[in-house]
Amino acid sequence: MISVIVPAHNEEAWLPATLDSIRAAADQVRARSGVGVETIVVDNDSTDATAAIALDRGASVVHEPVRSIGRARNTGARRASGEVLVFVDADVHIPRDLIEVIHETMGDPQCLGGGVDTEHHPRRLVVRLHLRAWRVLASVIPLVQGATQFCRRSAFDEVGGYPEDVWMGEDTDFYAELRKLARKTRGSVRVIRAPRVRPSSRRFDEWPVWKTLVWTNPLFIALFRRWKAVWGGWYARPVR
């Protein structure tokens, strides 16, 4: 069983497309490999139709009243039945064959988990180049962001899940802990380079360029990631 966990706060506009892409990918892996897939939407204190939309599309809904992306992911994991956990942001389109590729990747018993490469399509050229540069850097560091991450339940429990006391960078922290565990146990983590997932570029299209450059700067994130007030604008038009 594979559990797909989608944290969502006021995502009625974007969640339908995300869930439709997950359902298509689940149908494919079920048909080809006989693997069961459940989808859990964690309604993270939404005030819109997020929960109703999730139920209408066949997902299970778990309510988490405390606003925190890390906490929402952990809440979903606690309710999940699968031995493989896949975390997908609520504004991400996943390719039809992605869950099958994750299933094949986790067929290696040494693999503890990993992440999936992203492909942003913002309107402005300068932002596209900026995000592309970060993709190149991330492949060198290595760094895997949380648009789509996956792991074994046992590895998730061993590292303690996602940190709940930060407002940004919880996904990179989680991936770093998976890598540490892999070194300790002589296991491995994998980055799926193809197919890529496609997150929404809504924030990058709406923000001025300077704001994108500042708020995606790792030094800025490192200095202010625990200050809720700094990230008010990040969450005001919620992606998480």
Side-chain angles (χ1 to χ4, degrees):
M1 171 71 77
I2 295 175
S3 296
V4 181
I5 298 161
V6 184
H9 169 73
N10 288 349
E11 289 288 0
E12 64 181 6
W14 294 87
L15 186 61
T18 296
L19 292 181
D20 288 348
S21 71
I22 292 171
R23 181 168 55 188
D27 288 346
Q28 177 161 308
V29 73
R30 191 179 296 112
R32 292 187 176 180
S33 304
V35 178
V37 179
E38 66 174 358
T39 302
I40 299 172
V41 172
V42 183
D43 179 12
N44 197 195
D45 195 34
S46 297
T47 57
D48 66 358
T50 289
I53 288 170
L55 290 171
D56 184 61
R57 279 172 162 72
S60 301
V61 175
V62 179
H63 296 279
E64 172 50 64
V66 178
R67 289 287 307 283
S68 162
I69 179 64
R71 188 181 181 101
R73 286 175 172 159
N74 293 342
T75 296
R78 285 194 293 270
R79 293 290 296 273
S81 303
E83 288 305 312
V84 173
L85 308 177
V86 181
F87 299 90
V88 179
D89 280 353
D91 68 333
V92 170
H93 180 276
I94 71 170
R96 191 180 185 89
D97 56 343
L98 178 62
I99 296 180
E100 187 173 14
V101 172
I102 291 174
H103 170 63
E104 292 170 353
T105 301
M106 298 304 286
D108 178 358
Q110 298 301 112
C111 182
L112 303 184
V116 182
D117 199 3
T118 59
E119 186 174 27
H120 289 92
H121 291 270
R123 290 195 299 263
R124 288 170 293 191
L125 176 61
V126 64
V127 179
R128 289 201 301 272
L129 294 175
H130 173 69
L131 296 176
R132 193 171 301 166
W134 278 115
R135 282 188 61 244
V136 172
L137 180 62
S139 67
V140 175
I141 295 179
L143 174 72
V144 175
Q145 295 179 326
T148 303
Q149 294 181 323
F150 59 92
C151 66
R152 298 190 188 280
R153 172 178 292 279
S154 56
F156 181 89
D157 293 339
E158 182 71 19
V159 302
Y162 287 85
E164 299 182 3
D165 60 344
V166 297
W167 289 89
M168 187 57 57
E170 81 296 326
D171 47 358
T172 57
D173 285 357
F174 178 73
Y175 182 71
E177 290 302 315
L178 280 183
R179 293 186 68 233
K180 289 179 185 177
L181 180 61
R183 289 194 296 269
K184 178 181 176 182
T185 60
R186 297 184 180 180
S188 64
V189 292
R190 306 278 180 83
V191 178
I192 296 175
R193 298 296 179 189
R196 299 171 183 162
V197 299
R198 183 171 178 173
S200 161
S201 62
R202 52 185 164 169
R203 182 180 294 114
F204 304 129
D205 290 337
E206 293 175 0
W207 281 359
V209 172
W210 70 264
K211 191 171 184 179
T212 296
L213 297 179
V214 170
W215 281 23
T216 59
N217 184 292
L219 179 59
F220 182 86
I221 294 171
L223 288 173
F224 299 108
R225 62 202 304 259
R226 298 181 188 277
W227 291 25
K228 179 179 178 180
V230 173
W231 301 101
W234 187 270
Y235 289 97
R237 295 190 177 183
V239 167
R240 302 170 171 232

